[in-house]
């Protein structure tokens, strides 16, 4: 497992934007991603980026979010725009192999409200 630290969450009005950042330490994982969780619900994948450049987005992203990765610095980013109240959740940075995530950050709260 790899220590991961997120930053960049906060409060934003509907239609606003936020940029999440994640820093990892140690070896470079094959896949890094972002998940989110609302209390009472399962954690769900938001986006992921593999070492080979493969990218996956959840359907609910709908072109609003962009994931990027700096492998040299072991950093991951999520640029979120067009945020809506239903995007309110704790966002977790994740890392793992090509097939499964096995490392998680502590999470950063994103709240979208007017």
């Amino acid at each position: 497992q790899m220590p991961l630290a997120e930053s960049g969450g906060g409060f934003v009005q509907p239609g606003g934007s936020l940029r999440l950042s994640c820093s990892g330490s140690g070896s470079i994982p094959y896949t890094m991603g972002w998940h989110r969780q609302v209390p009472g619900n399962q954690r769900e994948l938001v986006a992921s980026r593999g070492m080979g450049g493969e990218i996956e987005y959840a359907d609910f992203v709908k072109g609003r979010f962009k994931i990027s990765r700096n492998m040299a610095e072991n950093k991951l980013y999520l640029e979120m725009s067009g945020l809506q109240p239903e995007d309110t959740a704790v966002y977790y940075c994740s890392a793992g192999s090509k097939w499964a995530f096995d490392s998680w950050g502590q999470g950063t709260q994103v709240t979208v409200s007017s």
Side-chain angles (χ1 to χ4, degrees):
Q1 294 188 346
M2 166 185 295
L4 299 168
E6 306 97 336
S7 62
F11 181 92
V12 64
Q13 292 186 335
S17 301
L18 282 174
R19 185 180 192 233
L20 304 183
S21 300
C22 173
S23 294
S25 58
S27 59
I28 307 296
Y30 187 91
T31 303
M32 292 187 78
W34 293 97
H35 288 69
R36 71 184 189 184
Q37 187 170 23
V38 175
N41 289 4
Q42 288 189 332
R43 192 172 297 186
E44 59 183 356
L45 177 70
V46 175
S48 66
R49 183 160 184 140
M51 191 176 286
E54 56 272 40
I55 295 176
E56 179 180 358
Y57 288 108
D59 289 342
F60 58 75
V61 169
K62 296 177 183 177
R64 300 179 297 134
F65 297 178
K66 179 181 178 181
I67 189 171
S68 59
R69 185 176 178 184
N70 183 332
M71 282 190 285
E73 297 184 1
N74 209 359
K75 294 184 183 294
L76 185 73
Y77 305 96
L78 185 69
E79 296 181 50
M80 304 185 292
S81 60
L83 285 162
Q84 299 301 319
E86 53 265 35
D87 294 314
T88 296
V90 178
Y91 284 71
Y92 296 90
C93 180
S94 52
S97 68
K98 192 173 184 178
W99 302 276
F101 294 98
D102 61 6
S103 298
W104 304 89
Q106 293 298 308
T108 184
Q109 177 70 44
V110 172
T111 302
V112 185
S113 176
S114 56

